[in-house]
Amino acid sequence: MRFVVDQNVDHPLTLYTATKKANELMAHSYSSLYGSPITGLRFFTVYGPWGRPDMALFKFTANILAGKLIDVFNYGNQRSVELLRHIEVLEQCLGRRAQMYLLPLQQGDVPDMLTNVDA
């Protein structure tokens, strides 16, 4: 499950990963055509003011505070940190219990992912 940055990604299995590959190809073409060096950064999860509001941390927090259900895919067994533990910490920090809708793994999702720079 460890992803290495020089791993071949020529056959993406999801639209999300296909867009990552397409972005790299367009950047390479642009760089070749116009002689402009380009560096692309792939962030796994960004927290804080630059984090995407559609990420679990932000969606879960908003729904827990509003008393709404949160969709928990793979029955909470997603991880580098197990998703159920992530929710448990949110509950402790927010002082509220999450109302969870446990669902199977979504098509195209992977249950675990590590990078070659993880400790």
Side-chain angles (χ1 to χ4, degrees), residues 59-68 70 93-97:
K59 285 175 33 175
F60 288 1
T61 300
N63 283 3
I64 291 170
L65 289 173
K68 295 181 181 178
I70 59 173
C93 291
L94 298 172
R96 296 184 183 199
R97 298 281 301 162

Side-chain angles (χ1 to χ4, degrees), residues 3 6 10-11 18 30 38 65 76 85 101 114 117:
F3 176 79
D6 59 0
D10 288 339
H11 305 283
Y30 187 91
I38 295 177
L65 289 173
R85 174 65 180 139
Y101 184 49
L114 296 172
V117 295

Side-chain angles (χ1 to χ4, degrees), residues 25-95:
L25 293 170
M26 288 185 288
H28 176 76
S29 296
Y30 187 91
S31 178
S32 295
L33 286 171
Y34 301 106
S36 175
I38 295 177
T39 300
L41 303 175
R42 282 192 188 176
F43 298 109
F44 270 74
T45 304
V46 177
Y47 295 99
W50 294 102
R52 290 184 6 223
D54 63 324
M55 298 297 286
L57 171 70
F58 302 108
K59 285 175 33 175
F60 288 1
T61 300
N63 283 3
I64 291 170
L65 289 173
K68 295 181 181 178
L69 282 173
I70 59 173
D71 291 337
V72 180
F73 292 98
N74 198 27
Y75 307 104
N77 296 315
Q78 306 284 84
R79 62 168 203 246
S80 277
V81 171
E82 191 166 299
L83 186 55
L84 291 177
R85 174 65 180 139
H86 179 86
I87 294 167
E88 182 183 309
V89 170
L90 280 175
E91 290 174 328
Q92 291 169 358
C93 291
L94 298 172

Side-chain angles (χ1 to χ4, degrees), residues 1-5 7 44 79-81 110-119:
M1 283 286 189
R2 186 168 294 277
F3 176 79
V4 180
V5 294
Q7 188 173 345
F44 270 74
R79 62 168 203 246
S80 277
V81 171
V110 292
D112 196 1
M113 174 70 72
L114 296 172
T115 69
N116 65 331
V117 295
D118 285 337

Side-chain angles (χ1 to χ4, degrees), residues 7-19 21-22 25:
Q7 188 173 345
N8 186 320
V9 291
D10 288 339
H11 305 283
L13 300 178
T14 68
L15 290 173
Y16 175 76
T17 53
T19 62
K21 180 66 176 181
L25 293 170

